[in-house]
Amino acid sequence: MTNIFTYSNQTLQQAARIIKDGGLVAFPTETVYGLGANVYNPTAVANIFASKGRPTFNPLISHIAEFDMLSELAQTDSRVTSLAQKFWPGPLTFVLNRKDMNPALDLVCAGLKTMTVRMPAHPIALDLIKQSGVPIAAPSANRSQSISPTTARHVFESLGSKVDMILDGGSCKVGVESTIIDLTTPQIVMLRAGGLAKEEIEEFLGEKVLLSHGNPDLPSSPGQMLKHYAPRLPMRINICPEDKEDNEFYIGFGIMDGNLNLSKSGNLLEAAANLFAFMHLAEEQNEYPAIAMAPIPETGLGLAINDRIRRASYNK
Ligand code: TXA
Ligand code: MG
């Protein structure tokens, strides 16, 4: 049985319903097919990472369908607005300072103070976002480390039944991912070359765009990541309840209960969805000067969780 559905009014309504209910929909954009979920549903977003087998919580692009959605999510200025008006909808993604501090968005942003936003130039993608009523988080709809999909069939071959529905809109016109530019600094930096040429951006702005020397697949250098993930309070990890100090706020997992519990049933998907929000809660409380966290199994999404908390605890 295939979960590929040809685009129609009816299948689009079904897809929007799936997004609203916290499911995953693969959908066409002009660049590549995206694996979409409601940005405000951390469990659905965690499921994107699980389905792709992405080893760490690399932040995801929020896809929008109306210009108003941009200023609700992120901080904009006249440079951002004019670039959006010129190149959107289209294969250009902006890294901007995050404005919407709803903790439900933490996983999409992977705990960073920045976020990426794009308005795709594909009628099905735009329609899906509008009908869902929320921005849609979407990486390319393929298993981690395989090639990005440009047809519904590619998606099916890579992810199969891991996605609730694959909306078939034919082949993607652009076929490579969007160009990503960082607009958080005065000098624009291109983090990923993609569907929109650097020269076009330079010509429009009348200024040079720098090329990032970092790894194009990483949001920032690991060093920067360390900084971003550091909570305000010292944190110890891999701590069983009996080894916890009295002055530590305890984040539990499974039967190791605490002030908070990432997942009482020991579900790593649920734990991943709660992680960033709980780390925020732990550092915002005033009762305990330190944080301790229960051991998390090193399997599935546990790899990503452990990667993040290891960074957070090293830094202090
Ligand atoms: O064309 C595209 O951009 C496709 C379609 C589906 O829109 N999406 C896509 O997403 O290629 P993904 O997740 O495969 O690539 C997004 C890239 C990742 O390398 C991620 O690290 C980077 O964007 N990224 C996301 N948020 C970031 C941030 N706040 N700062 C820097 N880089 C970020
Ligand atoms: Mg990708």
Side-chain angles (χ1 to χ4, degrees):
M1 238 283 278
T2 154
N3 49 357
I4 300 180
F5 290 80
T6 307
Y7 169 74
S8 70
N9 253 346
Q10 198 200 342
T11 53
L12 191 96
Q13 293 310 326
Q14 265 174 273
R17 169 55 47 206
I18 292 171
I19 296 280
K20 284 186 201 161
D21 291 345
L24 299 185
V25 174
F27 62 97
T29 80
E30 81 281 30
T31 58
V32 298
Y33 273 72
L35 179 60
N38 175 356
V39 293
Y40 294 112
N41 185 326
T43 306
V45 172
N47 211 355
I48 290 181
F49 292 101
S51 312
K52 280 180 67 85
R54 234 194 218 196
T56 56
F57 302 129
N58 206 343
L60 301 175
I61 300 172
S62 297
H63 295 72
I64 61 172
E66 276 145 40
F67 286 96
D68 287 352
M69 280 181 169
L70 174 63
S71 49
E72 282 164 27
L73 288 172
Q75 286 167 27
T76 60
D77 56 26
S78 56
R79 184 176 64 170
V80 173
T81 316
S82 62
L83 279 165
Q85 267 155 8
K86 168 75 180 167
F87 294 111
W88 278 2
L92 180 63
T93 296
F94 301 149
V95 178
L96 300 168
N97 286 314
R98 176 175 165 186
K99 178 168 156 195
D100 185 342
M101 287 302 165
N102 182 341
L105 262 183
D106 286 357
L107 190 56
V108 167
C109 301
L112 298 171
K113 295 198 175 72
T114 56
M115 66 182 304
T116 43
V117 188
R118 158 168 131 82
M119 190 188 288
H122 197 296
I124 297 179
L126 293 171
D127 210 5
L128 179 63
I129 299 163
K130 281 186 197 153
Q131 297 299 326
S132 304
V134 287
I136 294 183
S140 48
N142 53 280
R143 296 213 32 102
S144 188
Q145 282 169 348
S146 58
I147 300 165
S148 290
T150 53
T151 65
R153 169 79 22 209
H154 292 159
V155 178
F156 182 71
E157 278 158 13
S158 193
L159 296 172
S161 58
K162 289 200 170 72
V163 333
D164 297 304
M165 181 178 194
I166 302 170
L167 257 185
D168 190 349
S171 312
C172 302
K173 289 212 174 76
V174 175
V176 294
E177 293 91 341
S178 60
T179 299
I180 302 180
I181 54 173
D182 186 344
L183 295 172
T184 62
T185 51
Q187 169 75 61
I188 300 181
V189 181
M190 179 181 280
L191 300 180
R192 178 173 78 182
L196 182 71
K198 179 164 163 288
E199 293 79 353
E200 280 204 55
I201 304 168
E202 290 176 330
E203 198 178 314
F204 174 69
L205 288 176
E207 59 175 282
K208 279 272 163 213
V209 170
L210 288 183
L211 271 183
S212 158
H213 296 293
N215 180 338
D217 289 331
L218 290 177
S220 48
S221 75
Q224 283 173 300
M225 295 284 287
L226 287 176
K227 232 189 321 170
H228 284 298
Y229 286 104
R232 193 173 49 81
L233 301 177
M235 178 164 123
R236 297 194 303 145
I237 58 174
N238 268 323
I239 305 297
C240 293
E242 59 273 23
D243 299 325
K244 171 188 111 57
E245 306 285 350
D246 288 342
N247 69 353
E248 282 175 325
F249 183 92
Y250 190 64
I251 302 180
F253 177 76
I255 53 166
M256 299 189 198
D257 214 3
N259 301 82
L260 292 170
N261 193 325
L262 285 169
S263 168
K264 284 205 162 96
S265 62
N267 180 326
L268 288 168
L269 202 69
E270 188 187 358
N274 284 329
L275 181 68
F276 290 119
F278 281 15
M279 277 167 62
H280 279 136
L281 287 174
E283 71 168 354
E284 279 158 16
Q285 54 77 35
N286 288 317
E287 217 172 314
Y288 303 86
I291 306 169
M293 199 178 272
I296 309 291
E298 189 76 358
T299 55
L301 281 190
L303 292 183
I305 296 173
N306 281 320
D307 170 79
R308 290 303 183 257
I309 62 178
R310 226 174 273 133
R311 289 164 190 273
S313 63
Y314 277 151
N315 221 30
K316 283 284 162 179

